[in-house]
Amino acid sequence: QKEVEQDPGPLSVPEGAIVSLNCTYSNSAFQYFMWYRQYSRKGPELLMYTYSSGNKEDGRFTAQVDKSSKYISLFIRDSQPSDSATYLCAPKSGGATNKLIFGTGTLLAVQP
Amino acid sequence: DGGITQSPKYLFRKEGQNVTLSCEQNLNHDAMYWYRQDPGQGLRLIYYSQIVNDFQKGDIAEGYSVSREKKESFPLTVTSAQKNPTAFYLCASSRSTAGGWETQYFGPGTRLLVL
């Protein structure tokens, strides 16, 4: 079993839709949960991060973590064509190394 | 502008040839990383370095080598022992490898193709 599982998609939605992107993980030591956005042929960029369980909102984006079920979500409201990208979840533990464990990424296409 | 640069953008390797990918950062970050990205497999860690003159193997180090002689530079050599080198290679850096929310910042990547 992979430490982080993520549906690779592709996920195609119309402009203005609410998008839900999800990951599951197996390592209960994970405490920090990052979401990266990667445009085609570019390096990933940090979108949001959360610590432990709970929600965090930043504009149209909301990150949600449920540690009891080991489930991570990223919601995008009022999706835009510019949101079309691959979204990677990357949890990590709070230990001595900064090792991120990346999901495979979900490819999102927002149709105008 | 602070950031991470990688060169070249595209690199072609012939059979039996070693090639070196460049990664430079001016963020004054202590830690640097190399990842390989293949379709459907996400990012996999090749090597990482916490300080100058020190580095550790990641999950897929076989067929690769690195050096860290300067804080701002972390070149990756893909040796002839790497039998399937075609991939997108990403370099990243962070202030430290300590725990907590410390995140990694990525360069634009180098696409390596085998002739």
Side-chain angles (χ1 to χ4, degrees):
Chain A
Q1 182 188 10
K2 290 184 179 179
E3 280 192 280
V4 181
E5 299 273 5
Q6 188 174 7
D7 187 337
L11 178 62
S12 183
V13 301
E15 183 175 354
I18 296 174
V19 176
S20 173
L21 303 165
N22 308 295
C23 289
T24 58
Y25 64 92
S26 58
N27 189 343
S28 57
F30 290 150
Q31 296 184 47
Y32 299 87
F33 303 90
M34 316 289 185
W35 281 97
Y36 282 82
R37 178 173 62 194
Q38 184 177 23
Y39 291 111
S40 181
R41 302 180 185 276
K42 303 290 185 183
E45 56 179 340
L46 180 67
L47 190 61
M48 295 183 69
Y49 72 91
T50 55
Y51 171 68
S52 193
S53 284
N55 292 0
K56 184 174 182 179
E57 188 174 322
D58 184 0
R60 297 185 294 110
F61 298 88
T62 299
Q64 190 173 79
V65 177
D66 182 347
K67 290 191 74 179
S68 63
S69 58
K70 298 187 177 67
Y71 198 80
I72 314 165
S73 299
L74 178 70
F75 299 98
I76 307 174
R77 293 186 300 280
D78 187 25
S79 56
Q80 303 295 309
S82 59
D83 296 328
S84 298
T86 297
Y87 290 81
L88 299 142
C89 63
K92 68 173 190 138
S93 68
T97 70
N98 196 23
K99 188 176 179 181
L100 293 170
I101 308 298
F102 283 90
T104 55
T106 298
L107 177 60
L108 172 66
V110 180
Q111 307 298 331
Chain B
D1 286 337
I4 302 174
T5 57
Q6 290 186 243
S7 62
K9 189 173 182 179
Y10 295 95
L11 185 58
F12 298 92
R13 194 191 93 163
K14 295 179 181 178
E15 289 287 337
Q17 186 181 41
N18 292 355
V19 292
T20 297
L21 286 61
S22 170
C23 176
E24 303 276 333
Q25 55 97 359
N26 61 3
L27 299 167
N28 199 32
H29 284 173
D30 287 317
M32 298 187 74
Y33 313 79
W34 273 106
Y35 292 89
R36 169 180 172 142
Q37 187 174 32
D38 296 277
Q41 295 199 48
L43 277 68
R44 292 183 290 168
L45 184 64
I46 304 173
Y47 269 98
Y48 66 100
S49 168
Q50 300 179 70
I51 57 172
V52 174
N53 292 322
D54 184 59
F55 47 83
Q56 286 79 42
K57 292 182 179 180
D59 300 318
I60 54 165
E62 185 174 352
Y64 300 97
S65 66
V66 293
S67 63
R68 186 87 187 276
E69 298 177 359
K70 297 186 295 183
K71 185 176 183 178
E72 58 270 22
S73 178
F74 191 40
L76 173 74
T77 296
V78 184
T79 74
S80 57
Q82 173 49 245
K83 298 306 179 187
N84 185 23
T86 297
F88 190 44
Y89 290 85
L90 289 157
C91 179
S93 71
S94 66
R95 285 194 300 178
S96 73
T97 58
W101 67 269
E102 196 65 61
T103 192
Q104 296 176 23
Y105 298 88
F106 285 83
T110 292
R111 191 163 299 276
L112 176 61
L113 300 166
V114 177
L115 295 176

